[in-house]
Amino acid sequence: MEEEFYTRAQLKAALLCQGIKTTETSQFIYNLEHNSDVVRTGNTGLQLDLGYGINCIAPYNNKHANNSPWTLYSTQDKRYFLTDSVTTNVEVFPMIQEIPKWYNHKLSNGKYVTDYVQLEGDNVLICSISRTCCYFSKNEACRFCCLNNGCAEETEQEYFESVCEAFEHILLNTPQSNQINGKKLTINLTGGNQYTKNKGAERYIKLVQRIREINPEVPIAIEMSPPEDLSLLQLFKNIGVTAIEMNVEFWNDDARKELMPGKSKIPKEYYMDVLTKSVQLFGRGNVGSAIIIGLEDVASSLDGIKALINIGVIPSVIPFKPTAGSFLENADGCNADLIFEVTDYAAKLLAEVNLDPDFGCGCISCMACHLEGDIYKYYKLLQEKIHILEQKEKLN
């Protein structure tokens, strides 16, 4: 069982990096899962259950994915299979087995709920509190990001009210158990930065308070840059934020400056200081930071992963995927073998210190676009197996 689990994780690595070609079958599933045209920063794709509890959001509907060796087909009895037409033919399942009723609900402005809040993975409601980032205004945008493509018709206040209306409808139409697809519902709030001392982090306050008025229990994670005013961390804790994510993205300082002209002005050392304080406040397993693989030297990425784990932070190990509208839209994506090798390293370290990626909420525990949590489970299974064998030897 362990080896098959490991093999499915390797398949997931390939899908994350290579995507899935467009076919009639794959488009049918995609249309069920996406009823609006919102494109985020690269994670919107075809959502599949690969078996063994492994979920995956495979890049889809872009020129890179259409060069993928992977295709999806269905049989007459409505079973779905994934194949590379050479060595692999694996049965898979749509991740969202039952589309939530709120998916097709239109708000008072005539737009879909999913224009503002999307179901990512099988239980994470993800929402960007803004459709742009300040760094685009001064040509300082992160080179891998396309967030500015989403700015448009609404004012900031109109957008905020639409987000609140969307969450209100979703949460009022979710069972009291807060279950969706058989799992505990969680929320992940993200958004671009602002040229303020706290990088716009205050914008989360009102939205978290509005969500808590409707549902006092649903776990909420927020993604933000480290604020200058660290009392904000305690404020977030007080109003009901469950988890914090501050994404370092890259560890090599030269790569940071080249790939994140604006964001790299926040020193990496300050990230680590605020992440450490966040772990003290929110607890181990409730603080995360993304590391993007494929654009900096591997040794730096490994150093960053180890440094984050050493302070109790869960690294989300993300393969670089070129996204339309970004500066790097024509660049080569991350190699599947590389992302698996680096993630395997991270998972081993996490298992050694019992830092479970599945403990938290939001993107930290979702694992649909990264796989350290999947490989972590594999190593914990091995640890358990070894422990059982040791106990049997003692009895003998």
Side-chain angles (χ1 to χ4, degrees):
M1 184 269 190
E2 290 89 352
E3 294 309 314
E4 182 62 26
F5 186 95
Y6 200 70
T7 300
R8 291 298 171 98
Q10 290 175 316
L11 171 61
K12 177 176 174 176
L15 293 174
L16 289 176
C17 293
Q18 298 168 347
I20 295 177
K21 280 183 180 177
T22 301
T23 63
E24 184 177 340
T25 299
S26 58
Q27 192 62 40
F28 172 76
I29 296 175
Y30 184 86
N31 289 342
L32 288 176
E33 297 176 340
H34 300 82
N35 62 348
S36 66
D37 296 325
V38 173
V39 176
R40 293 180 52 252
T41 55
N43 291 337
T44 301
L46 195 64
Q47 306 201 79
L48 296 175
D49 174 355
L50 305 182
Y52 295 90
I54 297 177
N55 293 330
C56 178
I57 299 181
Y60 186 73
N61 271 353
N62 62 55
K63 61 182 180 182
H64 299 280
N66 282 330
N67 291 323
S68 169
W70 299 101
T71 56
L72 196 65
Y73 70 91
S74 61
T75 60
Q76 287 186 339
D77 56 352
K78 299 298 181 182
R79 295 169 66 192
Y80 297 99
F81 289 85
L82 187 68
T83 181
D84 62 357
S85 300
V86 181
T87 60
T88 304
N89 192 58
V90 175
E91 184 171 12
V92 297
F93 310 89
M95 192 187 303
I96 304 175
Q97 293 289 326
E98 184 177 348
I99 302 301
K101 293 178 181 179
W102 51 261
Y103 237 62
N104 293 310
H105 177 76
K106 286 192 174 182
L107 303 174
S108 56
N109 63 4
K111 294 185 177 182
Y112 286 109
V113 163
T114 49
D115 282 304
Y116 301 93
V117 182
Q118 295 177 319
L119 184 61
E120 191 161 294
D122 54 8
N123 71 322
V124 180
L125 298 177
I126 191 159
C127 169
S128 178
I129 63 170
S130 62
R131 288 280 172 86
T132 187
C133 175
C134 65
Y135 298 136
F136 283 90
S137 67
K138 295 185 178 180
N139 197 30
E140 294 183 324
C142 297
R143 293 334 195 196
F144 53 86
C145 182
C146 69
L147 181 61
N148 214 47
N149 285 357
C151 62
E153 316 100 32
E154 295 171 285
T155 66
E156 186 172 329
Q157 183 60 32
E158 287 171 338
Y159 182 80
F160 175 79
E161 290 300 329
S162 296
V163 165
C164 290
E165 184 184 348
F167 271 117
E168 180 176 3
H169 180 80
I170 293 169
L171 295 174
L172 290 177
N173 287 276
T174 297
Q176 289 184 347
S177 62
N178 289 330
Q179 294 276 326
I180 188 168
N181 289 315
K183 294 183 69 175
K184 188 80 170 179
L185 180 70
T186 75
I187 290 173
N188 195 94
L189 304 177
T190 184
N193 280 1
Q194 290 183 334
Y195 284 121
T196 63
K197 72 173 187 175
N198 294 317
K199 316 302 181 294
E202 297 95 337
R203 293 173 296 171
Y204 289 107
I205 296 171
K206 287 185 179 180
L207 180 54
V208 172
Q209 290 173 329
R210 290 280 288 270
I211 292 172
R212 282 286 170 250
E213 289 172 3
I214 304 166
N215 189 316
E217 295 181 358
V218 61
I220 301 173
I222 61 174
E223 292 184 64
M224 55 185 277
S225 290
E228 289 184 27
D229 181 1
L230 294 185
S231 68
L232 270 177
L233 297 177
Q234 185 63 60
L235 174 59
F236 286 137
K237 178 75 172 177
N238 293 344
I239 64 174
V241 171
T242 313
I244 293 281
E245 300 158 66
M246 298 179 190
N247 298 327
V248 175
E249 318 283 13
F250 306 101
W251 196 252
N252 182 285
D253 288 329
D254 290 335
R256 288 174 60 78
K257 290 175 184 176
E258 178 186 351
L259 296 166
M260 304 188 302
K263 192 175 178 181
S264 64
K265 293 176 182 177
I266 308 170
K268 181 177 65 185
E269 294 73 18
Y270 189 64
Y271 265 90
M272 296 301 284
D273 183 43
V274 181
L275 283 166
T276 300
K277 290 179 171 60
S278 297
V279 171
Q280 294 168 356
L281 185 60
F282 292 92
R284 294 173 84 252
N286 284 320
V287 181
S289 185
I291 292 279
I292 298 174
I293 308 302
L295 292 176
E296 68 174 346
D297 65 286
V298 180
S300 292
S301 298
L302 296 177
D303 287 344
I305 287 167
K306 186 174 183 179
L308 289 167
I309 293 173
N310 282 344
I311 62 171
V313 173
I314 294 177
S316 295
V317 185
I318 308 288
F320 165 67
K321 295 170 284 188
T323 306
S326 70
F327 285 90
L328 294 175
E329 64 178 328
N330 294 314
D332 292 331
C334 181
N335 177 275
D337 291 336
L338 175 61
I339 193 61
F340 193 85
E341 174 187 334
V342 174
T343 308
D344 188 75
Y345 171 82
K348 282 180 182 175
L349 293 181
L350 288 166
E352 287 172 5
V353 298
N354 291 315
L355 190 54
D356 187 352
D358 198 39
F359 175 81
C361 68
C363 284
I364 297 172
S365 62
C366 170
M367 296 301 152
C369 60
H370 42 107
L371 64 154
E372 63 276 355
D374 301 311
I375 305 178
Y376 173 91
K377 292 175 185 176
Y378 168 76
Y379 283 115
K380 296 308 284 187
L381 284 171
L382 288 185
Q383 285 180 1
E384 184 179 346
K385 199 170 186 178
I386 292 169
H387 176 72
I388 291 171
L389 290 173
E390 288 174 344
Q391 293 300 310
K392 285 183 178 179
E393 287 180 6
K394 286 180 180 180
L395 292 172
N396 294 331

